[in-house]
Amino acid sequence: MIRSQVIGLGSYLPDNVVTNADIAKRGVDTSDEWIQERTGIRERRIVRDGETTSHLAVEAAREALKDAAIDAGELDLIVVATTTPDETFPATATTVQARLGMHRGAAFDVQAVCSGFIYGLSVADNFIKAGQARTVLLIGAETMSRLLDWTDRTTCVLFGDGAGAMVLQAHDGEGTNADRGVLNTKLFSDGRLHDLLYVDGGPSSTRTTGHLRMQGKEVFRHAVTNICAAIEASAFEAGLTVADIDWFVPHQANQRILDGTARKLGIDPKKVISTVAVHGNTSSASVPLALHQAVKDGRIKPGDLVLLEAMGGGFTWGAGLVRW
Ligand code: ACO
């Protein structure tokens, strides 16, 4: 059986650190105490003028390609998960493709907001399993700061910018849970929940980019329920239980969502990778940023069972189980 193995990781954050106190100083009626207590966020990175999603994506991609010890020319496919593309078209993935010097294969974007990386993982895994690609570069990259209404304190304190990248490659497996690589992905969506989290603009509606709008309490409630369901579905399909999983790498939206999910499923909080304090919510970049951190610092080791999960606008949600 063909398995998609992770052969390289990379990440990139803009150098501009913005603390909670910095946001309060800019005239937003908020405080470090309120933000930390409700979200766990201390600081986030924000792009400077002229810095775009593709810039962040290319930097993360270069590091992942180096980690995988391959050239961009060996890639068959580039998938960029983003909700903040450089332009309405072409896809940011094709801009990344050109800047990496890859002139063959295909490149396209996946739009599933904060679940984008999990959706992209599923796309990449299925291309590999179907034999349509051998080596795939998957990137989650966002400049969420460009979508924020900086006069809306209920949303502008939550998000940050960044990118994470992963190189996946086809390798033979036995078809058991002991195989290295992606064991499964589970995707879900429910378009009826649009109004709880959306951007109030777009080319075919307002001809503007628009701003992020959210009903925070409702999102919170759905997040814990949906994420728990996705984790359980992924473990069940693999014939495992939640207790068999070594590391949980969740979408980094809010520390209280991470804690609530761990509590509901009886997960030891020490097994949950959290970077929300220093990254904020970087949407589709948050899972690969957190994953790379935990691999770099030696927590995630070869052979470990790693569960990636996310939920975001749409609503979309999902999980992916990977044997490291
Ligand atoms: N600073 C200070 N006060 C604030 C701020 C702020 N930044 N934002 C809101 N408040 C005030 C409100 O105005 C309200 O004041 P009031 O009581 O006088 O009306 C009070 O704080 C409480 O507001 P709530 O909305 O009830 O606060 P809550 O405890 O629900 O926390 C939060 C809000 C942090 C947004 C929370 O609901 C949440 O995290 N929701 C999840 C949203 C999320 O993570 N979305 C990301 C995208 S989806 C995803 O990634 C899963």
Side-chain angles (χ1 to χ4, degrees):
M1 178 178 184
I2 299 174
R3 291 290 191 192
S4 313
Q5 288 189 5
V6 180
I7 61 162
L9 287 177
S11 54
Y12 184 76
L13 292 161
D15 64 2
N16 179 30
V17 178
V18 176
T19 65
N20 295 341
D22 291 333
I23 293 182
K25 264 188 250 154
R26 287 177 189 180
V28 178
D29 182 14
T30 190
S31 67
D32 179 44
E33 191 190 1
W34 191 95
I35 299 170
Q36 284 213 46
E37 191 188 304
R38 304 284 177 131
T39 71
I41 299 167
R42 292 201 308 269
E43 60 186 46
R44 72 289 289 142
R45 304 295 183 96
I46 302 280
V47 283
R48 298 181 192 279
D49 286 348
E51 226 176 346
T52 63
T53 295
S54 67
H55 283 112
L56 311 185
V58 166
E59 293 301 325
R62 286 198 173 123
E63 192 181 14
L65 290 170
K66 196 170 165 210
D67 189 37
I70 64 163
D71 292 325
E74 293 172 59
L75 296 170
D76 303 306
L77 175 67
I78 298 176
V79 178
V80 175
T82 188
T83 197
T84 46
D86 290 13
E87 298 159 318
T88 302
F89 82 78
T92 299
T94 54
T95 305
V96 171
Q97 179 190 26
R99 290 197 47 212
L100 290 178
M102 174 209 176
H103 307 303
R104 52 184 286 275
F108 58 82
D109 288 359
V110 164
Q111 156 61 299
V113 203
C114 298
S115 311
F117 195 81
I118 305 297
Y119 271 61
L121 183 70
S122 191
V123 169
D125 183 41
N126 281 304
F127 263 83
I128 288 173
K129 279 202 224 144
Q132 209 172 341
R134 178 165 184 269
T135 310
V136 180
L137 172 63
L138 169 63
I139 306 170
E142 302 282 11
T143 47
M144 291 303 283
S145 60
R146 307 280 198 229
L147 282 183
L148 299 175
D149 172 355
W150 287 95
T151 67
D152 175 9
R153 68 177 181 171
T154 68
T155 54
C156 74
V157 301
L158 302 175
F159 295 88
D161 303 331
M166 173 185 275
V167 181
L168 295 131
Q169 195 168 61
H171 286 273
D172 287 335
E174 301 294 323
T176 71
N177 288 334
D179 286 349
R180 284 194 59 216
V182 179
L183 299 181
N184 68 35
T185 55
K186 303 293 288 177
L187 304 182
F188 308 92
S189 64
D190 185 347
R192 292 172 299 180
L193 301 167
H194 167 278
D195 292 357
L196 301 186
L197 181 57
Y198 65 102
V199 166
D200 62 0
S204 84
S205 53
T206 60
R207 303 183 203 185
T208 62
T209 304
H211 290 116
L212 185 147
R213 304 294 174 205
M214 181 177 72
Q215 295 177 35
K217 258 196 203 323
E218 282 300 302
V219 173
F220 195 109
R221 199 169 59 78
H222 284 279
V224 175
T225 309
N226 291 346
I227 289 165
C228 288
I231 292 173
E232 286 181 317
S234 178
F236 180 78
E237 191 181 84
L240 299 165
T241 68
V242 172
D244 296 318
I245 296 164
D246 297 303
W247 295 104
F248 293 81
V249 185
H251 167 50
Q252 309 287 316
N254 183 318
Q255 187 60 43
R256 283 161 59 215
I257 295 178
L258 271 56
D259 294 344
T261 305
R263 219 172 16 248
K264 197 165 169 194
L265 292 180
I267 297 167
D268 178 352
K270 288 199 202 79
K271 289 181 164 187
V272 181
I273 308 298
S274 175
T275 55
V276 69
V278 289
H279 296 166
N281 181 345
T282 57
S283 191
S284 70
S286 94
V287 168
L289 277 166
L291 178 65
H292 194 204
Q293 179 59 48
V295 171
K296 272 192 300 191
D297 66 26
R299 277 178 288 177
I300 296 178
K301 296 186 186 60
D304 284 353
L305 199 53
V306 181
L307 190 289
L308 315 176
E309 51 88 344
M311 192 198 102
F315 281 174
T316 55
W317 64 100
L321 194 58
V322 183
R323 173 77 64 191
W324 209 253

